[in-house]
Amino acid sequence: MRLPIRVGSSRHAFGAVLAWILIGAVHGALAADPAKIIRIAFPVAESTFDPLDQRDIYSAAITEAVFDAMLQYDYLARPPKLIPNTLEGMPQINTEGTEYTFRLRRGIYFNDDPAFNGARRELTAQDYAYSLRRHFDPRWRSPWLFQFEKKIVGADDAMERAKKTGKFDYDAPIEGIEVVDRYTLRIRLTQPDFTFIYVLATPPSAAMAREVVERYGDDIAAHPVGTGPFRLAEWKRASKIVLEASPGFRSLRFDAVPGDDAESQAIYARNRGKLLPLIGRIEYAVIEESQPRWLAFVNGELDVLERVPNEYINLAVPNGSLAPNLAKRGISAHRGHEPSLFFTVFNMQDPVVGGYTAEKIALRRAISFGYDRDAEIAVIRKREAVPAEQPIGPGVAGFDPAFRNPMNGYDPARAKALLDLFGYIDRDGDGYRERPEGSPLSIEYASTPTLLDRQYDELWKRSMDAIGIRFTFRKATWPDLLKAGQLGKLQMRTIGWLANIPDADNFLQLLYGPNAGQSNDSRFSLEAYDRIYRQAKRLPDSPERNRLFHELSRLAVAYAPWKLGIYRIETHLAQPWVAGYKPHPTMRSVLRYVDVDLEKQRAVAR
Amino acid sequence: MSAVIESTAEETRHDSAGPWRAAFRRLRNDRLGMVCVVIVVAYMLIVLASALGLVARDWNREVGVSYANPGFLPHLENLEAESSRNLTAQSKVPPVDLSDIDPLAPYYKELDERTARIKVTEIQRSDTLPFGGDKWGKDIIKKTVKGAEISIFVGFAAALLAAVLGTVFGACAGYFGGRINDLFEWIYNVFTSIPYILLILAFAAVFGKGIVTVIMILGITGWTGIYRLLRAEYLKHREREYVRAADAIGASDMRRMFVQILPNVSHVILVQLSQHVVQFIKAEVILSFLGFGVPVELVSWGTMLAEAQNELVIGKWWQLAAATASMAVLVTAFSLFTDALRDALDPKLKALL
């Protein structure tokens, strides 16, 4: 067990103050008001602060706030639109679409850290090059390698060399990652890839300083040092994370392209031109159970409640509109589909549920038909969800609203027929079926020991009992499940994937064979699928690519490496004093754009 | 034994069964104690009936709508049930054709035929249940009865295990003394130096899940109190004359420990046993509440309370009420019964009668 870690010794606090005075003198502006605090809750514990390693939206929210990728999304533009972040402008792309040139803004500095020996450390093109190279270093076992692998000229060779020598050489040149000068980076791709530019807006592409990574080594996950608007101020593992506005943050003013809706127009009118970040502090509390999370918000102890727990949806937004008592208090509701997909993963390498033969497919399909998803939607999710039809989340390029899945409904009779037909029958009369060759059939489903998961466990158990499949449960914490799932050690598990890129590719790569061990938790590997996927990868968003995506969806449905679950409807609530809050489909943390109306807060307190 | 009970009152005064009989008489005169006995016996009968499948056998069936109202409050607003009605209508779009790539395509026809032959019965769900329903529409009364079975069974079994462990260890330590005593004292110190809940959670993490696990955990962590008392009793008794007399006529250690001394300290065990039943019923509730308790296919008062923590906020109080009330009544009755039992069995009180 680790002790709580406090970042920044007194010496560096002094350095920070000095830097703050200097910045203040140069820009004539003050850092964000430390009295403006946003308190927010995570339903699960953070898993890491290393942007390379984060795989859950909670760790992503932290790393997005602390680190800077070269690109980011416009806060208000819908559909999501890329804008430069630490760049002077959008990258120049050559006519073939294989060469990207990025020019960095000057005068962007990292937050102070002992690794910099007291000097101010400027962000350079070298830092982005280093962060990209880290994904190819086998030591870090990057879960996001699939976003870069076989795309950048020469990078895969560097990885192969590192595997042979046991050490990745960060100083050896890589043709595809060229540092032209201190502020210019050039990336060369092996072939045109139209989603690659989006990858450069995700946390795994954010700049990290080499000195910091080398100083902390394997402990880098606990030492986030970035150039972003916030820095880690206080941290109690799995309990509390406090971010404070970076004192040396570059002068960045609120700008966005608002849509036609009144909400984003109002946000734009209110905050445009103000220095970012608008708030001085973010306090994340890890509150696993939904009741205390809900009550904390209702009692004003949380400023924003992201993803209202389903149990309380009828208290928050009965029949889809904000409850009158909350509306009277000035609380605002933000509702809509996120580009997310919930699905149950079968481990395709498992001797019982895995495999590509008819009998294995039949078993997975029977489990899919047998699971009472209607009850999940009605009773557990209280209709804050709709059935998922394809292995792609809604609202992204390449999503096909007309795709209807023939293997999708709740149909216990068909489940039984499938099992009977393929020899999964009850031979010893105990009410549970055996495998075709006669050995017992028992499936282990992994979930966390929370109340929320117990509801799903109950539903799975009931559904599987009804079709005669013995179900057992394995309990572990969320970060442990995440790791075990990645290593292929779980038989069955339900996960949600929230797109970090507004493109269907972001979902379909989850089933691409070579991504096993990274994002492909089911370890699905089908030659036909991989071939079509590679083909689609070379195409821009077009009817031709959609046709290939349609094929991929069909293959995924036919071989059933997943039980397709639901598309979630999200409801977020914000207190009246939270100004300018608008959830973004692909940004995990929008708090750098959010303000606190202190007067209103005081008025409500009175 | 039966001969002793049938003997005359005159003889009884000199008979070894006398103290037990006197104790029973004292207990019977304790009116509160007797009420508690009746309550505890009633619970036991319900548990027995439930274990034999006479009642609440179908507790797991979903007979009502989600959070069905209690029968005496039929007109409460039930938004939760509303939202489960009229699920989104099926899309009119024809499903995608998979037959060219689906390895199961050759079986489509046979599957359709087999599916048509399998009957699926639609459950009729009622809007109200006698004492309301839970999230899935299960009857709360049946659930409470079934929960009682598990909770009380776990409480008794674990208390029995703890009593056996505590008695054997205490007897050995107190009777033999010396090295053996040191050994058991050391184990005792290790177990009591760790905070109780932490110890339980540590064992829970090692053992995994299941009813037997819960009993083992509670028994293994809960024997220390009984051990301490029994050790003291044995220390006291081993020097008594009747034990020395037994020694003189050549009784073995085992005989002296468990045939001579044990009946004379058994009232301590009995009282401890009943106290621990209460304690373990509560501990099971805590374990289940924390997610370490009974597996998902079973129900206990602990899991009911765990579910209820979310329900109270949305105004569904019946599950909480049923579980807490039945647990509170049993625990109170059992505690008072234990008190009465101690009063009745304590030989020092004899002089007062």
Side-chain angles (χ1 to χ4, degrees):
Chain A
M1 201 150 139
R2 278 167 198 279
L3 294 170
I5 290 173
R6 194 176 276 273
V7 174
S9 63
S10 57
R11 187 166 61 86
H12 295 96
F14 173 72
V17 169
L18 200 66
W20 179 77
I21 293 169
L22 287 174
I23 297 281
V26 172
H27 295 291
L30 293 174
D33 185 351
K36 292 181 172 176
I37 302 171
I38 292 277
R39 296 155 304 168
I40 196 162
F42 284 161
V44 302
E46 76 287 353
S47 60
T48 176
F49 296 147
D50 181 357
L52 168 138
D53 200 28
Q54 50 78 27
R55 286 191 71 201
D56 53 294
I57 55 176
Y58 312 105
S59 299
I62 305 282
T63 48
E64 268 190 22
V66 172
F67 294 92
D68 271 321
M70 287 190 280
L71 298 162
Q72 65 166 0
Y73 292 94
D74 186 283
Y75 180 38
L76 299 176
R78 303 286 186 278
K81 174 176 169 262
L82 280 181
I83 55 167
N85 184 27
T86 55
L87 300 178
E88 297 205 315
M90 287 301 280
Q92 291 165 355
I93 307 170
N94 70 352
T95 42
E96 292 85 51
T98 52
E99 195 180 287
Y100 293 68
T101 309
F102 305 87
R103 276 183 229 291
L104 255 59
R105 274 177 66 172
R106 288 158 200 241
I108 297 175
Y109 291 92
F110 278 96
N111 276 304
D112 291 329
D113 189 85
F116 301 138
N117 297 318
R120 291 201 75 198
R121 169 70 159 76
E122 195 183 9
L123 173 75
T124 66
Q126 198 59 257
D127 297 316
Y128 282 108
Y130 174 73
S131 303
L132 288 180
R133 285 177 183 191
R134 267 188 85 207
H135 289 279
F136 294 91
D137 182 350
R139 170 185 176 187
W140 300 111
R141 276 188 234 106
S142 166
W144 298 101
L145 181 60
F146 69 90
Q147 292 193 340
F148 306 98
E149 205 179 12
K150 300 196 179 71
K151 288 182 184 169
I152 300 176
V153 180
D156 294 84
D157 300 334
M159 185 166 65
E160 287 313 312
R161 277 199 302 279
K163 276 181 188 156
K164 275 194 203 101
T165 59
K167 194 166 164 26
F168 189 89
D169 184 0
Y170 284 97
D171 298 314
I174 291 175
E175 198 197 331
I177 308 176
E178 185 195 350
V179 179
V180 181
D181 61 46
R182 189 170 162 87
Y183 301 106
T184 311
L185 178 70
R186 191 164 291 144
I187 295 178
R188 287 189 191 87
L189 301 182
T190 49
Q191 60 183 35
D193 182 332
F194 294 90
T195 56
F196 185 73
I197 190 160
Y198 289 104
V199 172
L200 298 176
T202 61
S205 306
M208 296 182 82
R210 183 170 174 180
E211 305 93 292
V212 176
V213 178
E214 286 177 355
R215 181 184 170 107
Y216 297 108
D218 287 337
D219 208 22
I220 186 65
H223 293 89
V225 180
T227 55
F230 295 95
R231 65 174 184 180
L232 186 63
E234 199 185 321
W235 180 30
K236 291 194 187 82
R237 246 166 229 265
S239 150
K240 190 181 186 190
I241 305 159
V242 178
L243 301 182
E244 62 184 8
S246 302
F249 187 58
R250 62 184 179 276
S251 160
L252 183 68
R253 288 179 188 277
F254 187 102
D255 194 16
V257 184
D260 293 333
D261 58 308
E263 186 194 17
S264 61
Q265 292 281 357
I267 294 172
Y268 183 66
R270 185 188 188 280
N271 288 340
R272 107 191 231 207
K274 290 187 182 167
L275 273 180
L276 297 178
L278 299 163
I279 50 169
R281 232 170 128 81
I282 311 173
E283 297 180 0
Y284 296 94
V286 176
I287 309 178
E288 289 188 345
E289 296 293 355
S290 23
Q291 188 193 21
R293 212 158 62 240
W294 165 254
L295 291 177
F297 178 79
V298 172
N299 294 335
E301 289 155 21
L302 291 176
D303 300 306
V304 176
L305 182 65
E306 292 193 318
R307 302 180 181 83
V308 174
N310 291 135
E311 296 93 313
Y312 304 117
I313 214 69
N314 285 329
L315 291 182
V317 281
N319 303 317
S321 55
L322 187 63
N325 61 326
L326 299 180
K328 219 165 91 189
R329 287 168 54 181
I331 287 168
S332 58
H334 309 262
R335 245 166 95 78
H337 275 293
E338 279 178 343
S340 71
L341 169 68
F342 281 74
F343 51 95
T344 303
V345 173
F346 295 101
N347 184 347
M348 293 296 284
Q349 291 176 347
D350 184 83
V352 181
V353 298
Y356 300 83
T357 55
E359 100 187 19
K360 299 299 169 99
I361 295 170
L363 174 63
R364 290 195 295 272
R365 204 173 276 180
I367 292 173
S368 300
F369 276 128
Y371 175 62
D372 189 353
R373 183 178 52 188
D374 296 346
E376 174 186 331
I377 293 175
V379 177
I380 303 180
R381 295 195 179 267
K382 314 240 166 156
R383 308 198 46 184
E384 288 277 286
V386 294
E389 298 281 343
Q390 59 193 313
I392 302 172
V396 296
F399 175 76
D400 177 6
F403 191 99
R404 217 184 117 219
N405 183 341
M407 306 297 169
N408 206 21
Y410 169 50
D411 191 347
R414 189 165 292 270
K416 285 184 191 166
L418 268 164
L419 292 169
D420 291 345
L421 182 62
F422 286 89
Y424 296 91
I425 38 182
D426 181 14
R427 291 183 178 77
D428 53 13
D430 64 350
Y432 290 106
R433 297 166 189 268
E434 274 75 48
R435 294 171 66 188
E437 82 281 2
S439 61
L441 174 66
S442 177
I443 292 169
E444 189 184 67
Y445 180 88
S447 61
T448 67
T450 57
L451 262 179
L452 182 69
D453 270 6
R454 192 179 162 95
Q455 307 176 45
Y456 292 103
D457 294 353
E458 277 174 356
L459 186 56
W460 271 107
K461 181 80 190 158
R462 185 199 68 175
S463 303
M464 293 300 112
D465 275 353
I467 59 170
I469 292 179
R470 192 189 298 274
F471 237 53
T472 60
F473 297 90
R474 167 168 167 179
K475 292 280 160 195
T477 61
W478 167 254
D480 286 348
L481 287 181
L482 206 63
K483 285 198 191 86
Q486 199 184 346
L487 294 171
K489 287 182 176 161
L490 303 175
Q491 204 164 25
M492 247 183 109
R493 171 181 170 235
T494 299
I495 47 182
W497 182 265
L498 183 50
N500 61 343
I501 288 174
D503 193 281
D505 169 73
N506 199 241
F507 292 95
L508 294 170
Q509 57 83 15
L510 294 170
L511 290 169
Y512 179 52
N515 289 350
Q518 300 177 46
S519 60
N520 181 353
D521 276 5
S522 75
R523 310 211 150 207
F524 180 63
S525 175
L526 188 73
E527 201 273 320
Y529 186 96
D530 294 352
R531 198 184 56 236
I532 300 174
Y533 178 79
R534 280 192 293 270
Q535 237 174 305
K537 200 70 197 149
R538 286 189 214 109
L539 298 173
D541 183 17
S542 58
E544 170 63 8
R545 194 181 72 147
N546 286 347
R547 199 186 56 77
L548 294 176
F549 281 176
H550 184 83
E551 276 312 293
L552 293 178
S553 293
R554 281 195 334 132
L555 283 168
V557 169
Y559 284 87
W562 297 344
K563 151 77 183 156
L564 283 173
I566 50 102
Y567 300 138
R568 189 159 72 165
I569 298 168
E570 295 301 345
T571 303
H572 313 275
L573 298 182
Q575 301 284 5
W577 53 83
V578 176
Y581 175 76
K582 186 174 168 69
H584 190 275
T586 40
M587 271 196 283
R588 300 298 175 254
S589 173
V590 296
L591 295 182
R592 68 170 76 176
Y593 300 108
V594 172
D595 201 359
V596 172
D597 189 335
L598 289 175
E599 261 169 51
K600 217 179 229 177
Q601 195 170 22
R602 275 190 288 268
V604 172
R606 274 199 300 273
Chain B
M1 255 336 190
S2 59
V4 171
I5 289 164
E6 281 157 22
S7 61
T8 63
E10 188 67 18
E11 281 164 336
T12 315
R13 225 167 280 145
H14 311 285
D15 198 282
S16 67
W20 291 103
R21 206 152 173 192
F24 183 64
R25 203 176 58 233
R26 282 196 293 271
L27 183 62
R28 217 173 38 192
N29 289 340
D30 184 344
R31 206 169 286 163
L32 184 63
M34 282 318 285
V35 171
C36 292
V37 169
V38 171
I39 294 174
V40 171
V41 168
Y43 268 87
M44 296 309 135
L45 288 178
I46 292 174
V47 166
L48 197 68
S50 153
L52 295 175
L54 299 177
V55 293
R57 175 189 265 171
D58 56 350
W59 70 275
N60 217 351
R61 273 191 46 209
E62 301 175 2
V63 287
V65 295
S66 183
Y67 294 116
N69 285 330
F72 47 88
L73 289 169
H75 301 302
L76 279 184
E77 190 185 27
N78 191 350
L79 282 171
E80 320 303 320
E82 284 306 312
S83 67
S84 50
R85 260 176 226 136
N86 338 308
L87 263 180
T88 27
Q90 277 287 320
S91 157
K92 294 280 188 300
V93 188
V96 172
D97 181 21
L98 296 178
S99 52
D100 55 329
I101 50 163
D102 187 355
L104 300 194
Y107 306 96
Y108 277 179
K109 198 157 161 272
E110 196 181 346
L111 267 172
D112 284 342
E113 286 165 14
R114 279 182 183 244
T115 306
R117 282 203 297 273
I118 294 171
K119 277 202 198 83
V120 182
T121 44
E122 193 68 25
I123 329 163
Q124 276 303 317
R125 291 171 183 266
S126 69
D127 284 332
T128 59
L129 292 170
F131 201 75
D134 73 353
K135 172 174 60 243
W136 300 115
K138 294 174 188 170
D139 187 317
I140 289 293
I141 293 180
K142 287 180 180 163
K143 214 173 154 183
T144 312
V145 168
K146 198 69 190 174
E149 180 197 328
I150 303 292
S151 290
I152 294 174
F153 171 72
V154 167
F156 267 94
L160 211 61
L161 178 64
V164 168
L165 285 176
T167 306
V168 172
F169 291 177
C172 292
Y175 182 82
F176 292 114
R179 286 273 168 86
I180 294 177
N181 179 40
D182 289 348
L183 174 73
F184 284 113
E185 281 295 278
W186 181 77
I187 299 175
Y188 168 80
N189 282 330
V190 169
F191 271 79
T192 46
S193 64
I194 305 169
Y196 185 60
I197 290 283
L198 268 189
L199 191 65
I200 287 183
L201 293 184
F203 274 100
V206 174
F207 280 140
K209 293 197 84 176
I211 277 282
V212 179
T213 310
V214 177
I215 295 170
M216 294 292 289
I217 293 169
L218 294 177
I220 289 174
T221 54
W223 56 270
T224 48
I226 305 173
Y227 159 83
R228 203 185 61 234
L229 286 171
L230 261 290
R231 176 176 162 274
E233 289 294 325
Y234 269 81
L235 275 175
K236 197 166 71 189
H237 277 268
R238 72 172 179 190
E239 302 301 332
R240 291 261 166 98
E241 276 147 13
Y242 72 96
V243 184
R244 284 165 178 261
D247 187 18
I249 58 169
S252 70
D253 284 338
M254 282 298 135
R255 193 172 168 82
R256 270 178 281 157
M257 278 162 78
F258 295 113
V259 181
Q260 306 289 339
I261 304 182
L262 191 64
N264 288 297
V265 298
S266 54
H267 64 281
V268 178
I269 303 174
L270 204 60
V271 171
Q272 283 297 312
L273 186 71
S274 3
Q275 274 180 357
H276 277 76
V277 169
V278 175
Q279 188 190 326
F280 288 155
I281 288 175
K282 290 191 281 186
E284 184 278 325
V285 169
I286 297 172
L287 269 184
S288 297
F289 188 82
L290 294 176
F292 285 98
V294 299
V296 72
E297 66 270 26
L298 293 175
V299 62
S300 77
W301 289 339
T303 60
M304 289 179 72
L305 289 178
E307 277 176 36
Q309 61 163 309
N310 279 335
E311 297 171 357
L312 199 59
V313 180
I314 54 170
K316 316 292 177 188
W317 50 268
W318 33 93
Q319 175 151 246
L320 181 75
T324 16
S326 42
M327 185 176 140
V329 168
L330 174 70
V331 168
T332 313
F334 216 109
S335 298
L336 292 173
F337 162 71
T338 309
D339 271 357
L341 199 64
R342 200 194 52 225
D343 290 349
L345 286 174
D346 195 337
K348 285 184 193 126
L349 288 172
K350 214 177 188 177
L352 299 174
L353 284 170

